Amino acid sequence: MTRRAAAALVACVLLPGCGSVADALPAEAPVFPAGVGAWSRLPPSPLSARHEAAGASLGGRFYVVGGWSDPPCPPAASCAAPARPPHRDGAAFDPATGRWRAIAPAPTPVGGVLQMTVVGQRLYVLTGSLDRADSPVSFLSYDPGADAWSTLPAPQLADPQLVAAGTKIVAVGCSDEQEAAVDAVFDPVTERWRRLPDDPLGPSYGRSAAWLGDQLLLTASDLVPSPGADGPPLTRLAVLDDGLTDWTLLPDSDIVGGHPTWVADRVVFPMTGSEDGGTIGTWGRHHANGAILDPATGTWTSLPEPPEGRSALDGVIGSVGDRTLVGGQLLQPRTRTWTRVPAAPWGQGYRTSQTIVTGPDGVFVWGGSDEADNLAEGYLLPL
């Protein structure tokens, strides 16, 4: 069984046996430089070395929870399923003080993380595995003020994407390939899910969504034969009103990528490069994977070419302030200007399954594994 990589975003918890919040005091609190250009190493955390821990940003703090301590599985390798369940403990790091604190343990193991999001002053995590009895699918919320977890009804969807939609949470089904995708919305007040109306895109795959402040944007590609399609799988779009009741179909794009992010009043499709269909079933020309959409005018602009050089955040999707990651660098979509992300402070060696969190003021990286061992070190890039 190939070990599944967890999502790069998530929640928080505490060392086993700890019943109250307790600061892990570093010998000397580090000072983090202002501006872009310097990664700072974090002080030791209360957590043991692990990979695929969940992480999130809320209230100026970064949270880490769960993860696995089993030996790391190399890329493309076939590894046995983990022998032990994932962890339940977690911790929060405050960049303002340079200190960690342990938080209450989650009510269930947190591993095989499916999705995580933040609504209001709470963290929400959908975690677990459909094929592991010791790590069941669970939907949890964490209240940092009370240092307390709640167990909530889980959405009955396969591999959904969770999207914070104002005061609610939307779960978007990923594809119609195996069965018809279902979308649902969770109300934290009533703690109930309800099914959303069917979208107007029809059978599709690569379904992903972003909240635009007052409406939900859904993107997907038509479900067509492969091979055998008669054209490129262009990204199609529809929006759901702020009441989450009525869909509006938008004009099709000319790109073939997904994973939209909403930043600085723009929708950024952050995938670089282009596709032409290959030698068999060629489309006759290249179509970009990514672009920038102004939803107020319906205007599309191309992604500028990212700065050259390796970035510590290649392949990461997320936004920091009014910028979003594209090709490992930070793009301001209104001005189409770049902020270079410094090279990884851990060097160019192999490293995988780290917890990477993008927050309003910086990027947080913790844990993961190298070729031989799990790691417990972390870094912060303030912006």
Side-chain angles (χ1 to χ4, degrees):
M1 169 181 174
T2 300
R3 189 173 300 170
R4 176 178 177 172
L9 306 174
V10 151
C12 42
V13 228
L14 168 105
L15 294 171
C18 296
S20 62
V21 174
D23 285 340
L25 301 178
E28 183 177 348
V31 177
F32 296 111
V36 180
W39 287 94
S40 297
R41 186 159 181 167
L42 302 181
S45 81
L47 305 177
S48 61
R50 64 192 66 181
H51 58 274
E52 299 182 35
S57 171
L58 174 61
R61 295 178 175 85
F62 294 96
Y63 293 84
V64 178
V65 60
W68 306 85
S69 291
D70 287 77
C73 184
S78 181
C79 300
R84 294 168 292 182
H87 293 280
R88 298 169 56 227
D89 62 325
F93 179 74
D94 186 347
T97 63
R99 294 180 174 182
W100 289 89
R101 68 175 185 181
I103 62 172
T108 64
V110 177
V113 175
L114 302 179
Q115 287 290 324
M116 180 273 174
T117 193
V118 175
V119 170
Q121 296 303 308
R122 288 177 179 256
L123 304 169
Y124 293 86
V125 57
L126 180 64
T127 182
S129 173
L130 295 174
D131 56 2
R132 284 185 64 91
D134 59 358
S135 181
V137 174
S138 300
F139 186 47
L140 310 172
S141 73
Y142 175 74
D143 180 352
D147 187 33
W149 288 85
S150 300
T151 300
L152 304 170
Q156 302 302 305
L157 308 178
D159 296 328
Q161 175 196 1
L162 293 189
V163 179
T167 60
K168 296 180 173 60
I169 299 170
V170 171
V172 177
C174 64
S175 174
D176 292 306
E177 291 171 278
Q178 301 300 322
E179 59 184 29
V182 174
D183 307 319
V185 59
F186 179 78
D187 186 336
V189 175
T190 63
E191 297 188 350
R192 292 183 178 179
W193 291 92
R194 69 172 173 86
R195 181 170 175 166
L196 292 179
D198 291 339
D199 68 83
L201 299 181
S204 58
Y205 71 98
R207 302 172 85 248
S208 55
W211 181 248
L212 309 188
D214 59 358
Q215 56 187 351
L216 182 78
L217 174 70
L218 175 68
T219 71
S221 298
D222 284 343
L223 194 58
V224 295
S226 179
D230 57 4
L234 296 177
T235 300
R236 304 182 63 219
L237 305 92
V239 291
L240 188 62
D241 68 339
D242 58 357
L244 302 177
T245 56
D246 295 311
W247 287 100
T248 300
L249 185 65
L250 302 182
D252 292 349
S253 75
D254 195 47
I255 66 171
V256 293
H259 306 290
T261 60
W262 170 245
V263 61
D265 297 326
R266 298 292 186 270
V267 180
V268 180
F269 293 81
M271 300 173 66
T272 58
S274 62
E275 310 291 339
D276 65 358
T279 56
I280 300 176
T282 180
W283 306 330
R285 69 177 179 89
H286 282 260
H287 290 265
N289 288 313
I292 303 168
L293 170 65
D294 180 350
T297 64
T299 303
W300 290 86
T301 54
S302 61
L303 292 174
E305 193 67 24
E308 294 184 357
R310 289 182 61 88
S311 163
L313 303 176
D314 284 338
V316 177
I317 295 174
S319 297
V320 182
D322 65 349
R323 291 162 283 186
T324 193
L325 284 164
V326 177
Q329 309 290 351
L330 285 164
L331 173 67
Q332 213 295 346
R334 279 179 169 270
T335 61
R336 301 177 75 249
T337 55
W338 294 98
T339 300
R340 183 184 292 276
V341 173
W346 49 88
Q348 300 302 325
Y350 166 79
R351 190 168 293 207
T352 188
S353 302
Q354 298 162 280
T355 300
I356 302 178
V357 181
T358 57
D361 303 310
V363 182
F364 170 93
V365 178
W366 186 86
S369 60
D370 57 20
E371 291 93 337
D373 299 305
N374 292 318
L375 306 169
E377 62 189 48
Y379 299 88
L380 182 72
L381 178 66
L383 299 177

